[in-house]
Each structure stands twice: as C-alpha cells, then as structure tokens.
C-alpha cells in the first residue's frame, strides 16, 4: 500500500513525521504501507511525478495543500481516497479537494476520525479478502487478453497473494493419483447424478484423479482459491478439470476456470462478503427481455439436479450440466488491472430449455444485460450467486472507491 502525505510549505517533513508518528507506525504495521511526504516544492514534485508510484491513499497532513493536489492529480488513477484526521486544518483541505474532484467529474471520499477509526476503515476495505492465497495453475488461457491483475497492487491493497503452479506438477499428480480413492469419488458422483450422458466410467475416473491432484496441491500450498488453464489438461491427459472445480467449490476452495484472475477474485468476494458459492459463466444470448449465460462447471450444491456430460468444446472428459432453481440471483463482476471497477445487478431465473449450442450448465435470467455487456463489459466471464446481494456488494465497492459500470 502506498500513501502520499501532503504538507504545506509552512511545515516540514520532520514536523509531519513527529505529528503523525503513531498513525504512520500503525499504517506500516497493519498494511506494510510505504509512506511518502510531499511538500509544494517544484523539484520534489517533479521527482515524485517521475517515480511513477501511484498512491492508494492521499493524506492531507495540513491545510494549504489544495494547490499541491491540483499539480499531482493527473498522476493518480481512478477514485481518490483521502485521509484527514482534522489536525492542522487537514480536514478543511480534504473537504476543498473533495469539492474540486466533484467539479472535475472525479470521484473521491474522505476517511476521517481518530487513528483507530482511520485504521479500522482502511482495514474494512480489505477484510473480506485479506489472507487470500490464489493458485494460478498455468498461464491464463490465450483468449483472456483483458482478465489479468496487477499482482503487486492486489497484494498490497487487499492482501491477496497469487502463487504460480507449474502445470507439469499437476499433470504428474493426475497420473500418480490413488486409483482406489478416485474410484470411490467417481462412484459417489455418479450416484448423485440424475443421468450420465457421454462420460464413461473411465472418464469419471480420470476426472476424479484430476480433482485429487488439484486438491493435493491446494492443501500443500495452503491455497484458499485457484484458477486453471483448463485446456492444457485436456491436451495432456485427455480429461477436464470441470468436475474437480465443482467439488472444490463445494468444499470451500474457490475454483475458477481459464486462469481468469479477476473472476476468481470476484468469486472469493462472493464467498467472503455474501457467504455464497459462485457460478462463473459466459454470456451467450442477450435480448431486451432476458440474458442467457452458460459454462461447463459450477458448485454442485447450487443445483436442484446434475447431469454428467462431456466438455462442450472438446467433447472430452466430464463436465456438469447443472439444473438451477428458478429463484433470485445476483450477477456481479469486479475487475480491472487494479480491481478498480465493478458491475452488479439482480434478476430472477426463468425456465429454460436445454440447448446444444452453449456450454453444459445454462441459466436464463430475467434481465437486460445488453448495455453493460456490449458497451462497457468487465471482461467475458460473469459471476452468479443465489439470492439478492446487490446492496451489500455495492456498499463494499463504494467503500473501496470502485467505479460502477
């Protein structure tokens, strides 16, 4: 986390360091914050601009820093998070800056209060995600050209650590998985299914081995979430990870497809903030009356019934055709390189006839997503959870200064 502290030329860096020593110590202790003090000095401002560090928070340590802020605003991305405890006319300066931002069409907010209140509010931003450890099994899929994140930023800001997992390690694990244990899992999944269409028992066995291998690595690496370059498994082992991801999600290890880091972070947020397991889906048909989304895996516990199918694109392995209840859902996506924007809405599911033109699990929602998805979409994949949670999500996003799409 980077914090830029602004002071007027009537004060010195030493004054600011002594005046706010306790707050700075707390910020460093709680968030490993890097703190830079900047005065209205032409050389210092030029050097700060050249360093290229984007602050997550701007603190007004004194009054009289409004002009300094105008000089640097062009080097700060997204919404502006201001910190002002009120001493030394700092709150007055922050209020003037907030009005200036509004006039300029920029969004901002002020974190104000005692040291403890400031720390608590900043901590509240990341409490839903702090300590998350996401395994990225292989590189993101080649078609995902807009779904990565700034790893250093999400670590400093939200406490999310990304761990790279070599796909060869997984492939070896699949081949070495215990046959008897895989047989038990395959048989259990077959018993839970309403029907088994394309997969043979050998396919179910391979899918179960993939689950065992991924779970073993998740436990070894202490992962709370994971995402995988799925088609590498199809090509190397002739199986899919769809069943594995479904079972892992049910067990509380958030699991996403295709190496899509923005989407798996959204899924983690859904779990932590709303207590819900999530369905990661592709938009497939958009009309003014409804939106159809589909994918080949989801938590089995989201479904009324499940059917074991082959993977839609490759026609190999095992995928899930989940029959979802016609109840209320929330559609959400949190994204951007620095997770700076979001979308959320609610809808009721409509009855749907299965189609062979889309991925195996399909959901038809009574909502028009055309404007959002066709004009300002945050990537391809969207996240769907049961229940109405838009207000909870929107309140959290406003707290952290995200822009609603």
């Amino acid at each position: 986390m980077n914090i830029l502290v602004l002071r007027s030329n009537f004060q010195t860096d030493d004054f600011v360091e002594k005046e706010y020593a306790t707050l700075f110590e707390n910020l460093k202790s709680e968030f490993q914050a890097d703190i830079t003090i900047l005065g209205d000095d032409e050389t210092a401002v030029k050097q700060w601009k050249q360093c290229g560090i984007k602050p997550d928070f701007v603190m007004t340590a004194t009054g009289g820093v409004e002009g300094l802020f105008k000089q640097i605003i062009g080097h700060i991305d997204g919404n502006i998070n201001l910190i002002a405890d009120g001493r030394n006319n700092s709150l007055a300066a922050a209020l003037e800056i907030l009005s200036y931002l509004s006039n300029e069409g920029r969004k901002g907010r002020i974190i104000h209060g005692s040291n403890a209140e400031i720390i608590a509010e900043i901590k509240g931003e990341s409490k839903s995600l702090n300590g998350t450890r996401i395994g990225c099994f292989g590189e993101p899929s080649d078609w995902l050209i807009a779904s990565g994140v700034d790893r250093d930023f999400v670590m400093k800001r939200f406490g999310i650590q990304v761990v790279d997992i070599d796909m060869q390690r997984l492939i070896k694990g699949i081949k070495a998985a215990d046959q008897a244990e895989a047989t038990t899992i395959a048989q259990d999944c077959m018993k839970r299914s309403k029907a088994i269409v394309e997969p043979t028992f050998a396919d179910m066995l391979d899918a179960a081995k993939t689950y065992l291998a991924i779970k073993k690595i998740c436990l070894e690496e202490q992962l709370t979430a994971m995402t995988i370059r799925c088609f590498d498994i199809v090509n190397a082992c002739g199986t899919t990870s769809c069943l594995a991801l479904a079972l892992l999600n049910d067990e509380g290890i958030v699991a996403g497809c295709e190496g899509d880091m923005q989407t798996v972070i959204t899924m983690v947020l859904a779990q932590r903030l709303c207590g819900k397991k999530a369905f990661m889906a592709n938009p497939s048909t958009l009309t003014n009356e409804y939106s159809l989304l589909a994918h080949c895996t989801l938590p089995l516990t989201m479904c009324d019934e499940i059917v074991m199918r082959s993977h839609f694109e490759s026609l190999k392995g095992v995928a899930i055709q989940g029959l979802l209840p016609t109840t209320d859902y929330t559609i959400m996506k949190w994204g951007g390189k620095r997770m700076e924007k979001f979308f959320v809405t609610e809808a009721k599911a409509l009855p749907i006839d299965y189609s062979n033109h889309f991925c195996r699990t399909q959901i038809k929602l009574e909502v028009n997503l055309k404007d959002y998805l066709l004009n300002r979409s945050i990537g391809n994949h969207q996240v769907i959870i049961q229940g109405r949670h838009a207000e909870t999500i929107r309140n959290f996003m406003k707290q952290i200064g995200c822009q609603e799409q």
Side-chain angles (χ1 to χ4, degrees), residues 351-367:
I352 183 171
D353 294 324
Y354 180 78
S355 169
N356 285 320
H357 297 291
F358 311 116
C359 291
R360 301 306 191 185
T361 294
Q362 302 163 14
I363 186 169
K364 185 178 181 181
L365 296 164
E366 192 174 15
V367 62

Side-chain angles (χ1 to χ4, degrees), residues 108-127:
R109 68 186 184 108
I110 298 173
I111 298 173
H112 169 67
S114 66
N115 287 353
E117 289 170 329
I118 290 170
I119 294 296
E121 186 160 353
I122 296 174
K123 188 180 290 185
E125 293 188 355
S126 57
K127 67 181 180 182

Side-chain angles (χ1 to χ4, degrees), residues 58 69 73 76-82 101 106-109:
V58 177
F69 181 82
I73 185 176
I76 305 175
D77 298 330
N79 298 339
I80 309 294
N81 297 295
L82 298 164
L101 288 171
R106 296 283 298 271
K107 290 194 174 183
R109 68 186 184 108

Side-chain angles (χ1 to χ4, degrees), residues 23 28 67 81 119 127 134 143 152-153 170 179 189 208 239 250 252 258 276 280 285 289 299 303 305 330 389:
L23 177 59
K28 290 175 181 178
N81 297 295
I119 294 296
K127 67 181 180 182
I134 302 175
W143 50 87
D152 289 338
F153 178 82
L170 174 59
Q179 182 86 3
C189 289
T239 188
D250 277 338
E258 302 173 38
K276 294 293 181 179
M280 167 184 171
T285 299
E289 290 75 37
C303 308
E305 295 177 319
T330 298
H389 305 280

